[in-house]
Amino acid sequence: MEDNLIQQKSKEFAVRIIRFCDYLEAEKKVQRTLATQLLRSGTSIGANVRESRNAQSTDDFIHKLNIALKEADETEYWLELFLEAEKISNREFQSMYDDCSELCKLLTSIINTTKTRQAAK
């Protein structure tokens, strides 16, 4: 169940990121290079979660989710930069940041649970 939730939420977040980056470029005149960085890391979360479905082992599953977690952390970084550079409003930032933080928490929980179960075997 937790697996399906992370897949759903990471895909929904990727769609939000795509739309947000389009908005940043068109309306906020954010440099394409910067928007692309956010786009790359924000969509990579879901791609790595999706890739974890076909993991060859538990260690591989954990590895894929750790990559997704790193990408989520990077996405938070880019959002923080856009806020501090005054390219997005506090409201825009908080909405995207909260969703990304939720993904980080879910990923951390799944990784820790999987490691605990693996150690118990």
Side-chain angles (χ1 to χ4, degrees):
M1 181 66 155
E2 207 173 38
D3 241 0
N4 293 334
L5 181 63
I6 192 65
Q7 287 178 33
Q8 174 192 345
K9 287 192 174 286
S10 61
K11 189 174 188 180
E12 289 170 359
F13 184 73
V15 170
R16 272 194 83 193
I17 284 288
I18 291 166
R19 291 180 179 146
F20 190 60
C21 287
D22 286 346
Y23 163 77
L24 287 175
E25 287 184 49
E27 303 297 324
K28 298 286 191 165
K29 308 296 187 223
V30 170
Q31 295 173 353
R32 177 176 291 276
T33 305
L34 293 175
T36 300
Q37 288 295 112
L38 176 62
L39 179 68
R40 187 194 58 73
S41 64
T43 56
S44 184
I45 301 163
N48 281 288
V49 168
R50 181 70 171 256
E51 211 176 309
S52 74
R53 293 189 328 180
N54 298 304
Q56 296 175 335
S57 66
T58 302
D59 285 341
D60 189 34
F61 176 78
I62 292 167
H63 176 72
K64 300 290 187 217
L65 292 186
N66 270 318
I67 293 171
L69 181 57
K70 288 179 184 180
E71 293 294 341
D73 187 57
E74 181 181 337
T75 300
E76 288 180 338
Y77 171 78
W78 288 112
L79 290 168
E80 290 166 2
L81 282 182
F82 286 131
L83 178 67
E84 291 174 25
E86 299 177 349
K87 297 294 184 182
I88 58 176
S89 69
N90 282 327
R91 185 182 59 78
E92 291 165 329
F93 167 79
Q94 204 60 57
S95 176
M96 296 298 290
Y97 195 86
D98 288 348
D99 283 355
C100 195
S101 292
E102 181 183 5
L103 288 173
C104 287
K105 289 174 187 171
L106 284 168
L107 287 163
T108 300
S109 175
I110 295 167
I111 291 165
N112 289 340
T113 299
T114 304
K115 285 180 179 180
T116 300
R117 287 181 183 159
Q118 186 181 34
K121 288 184 180 181

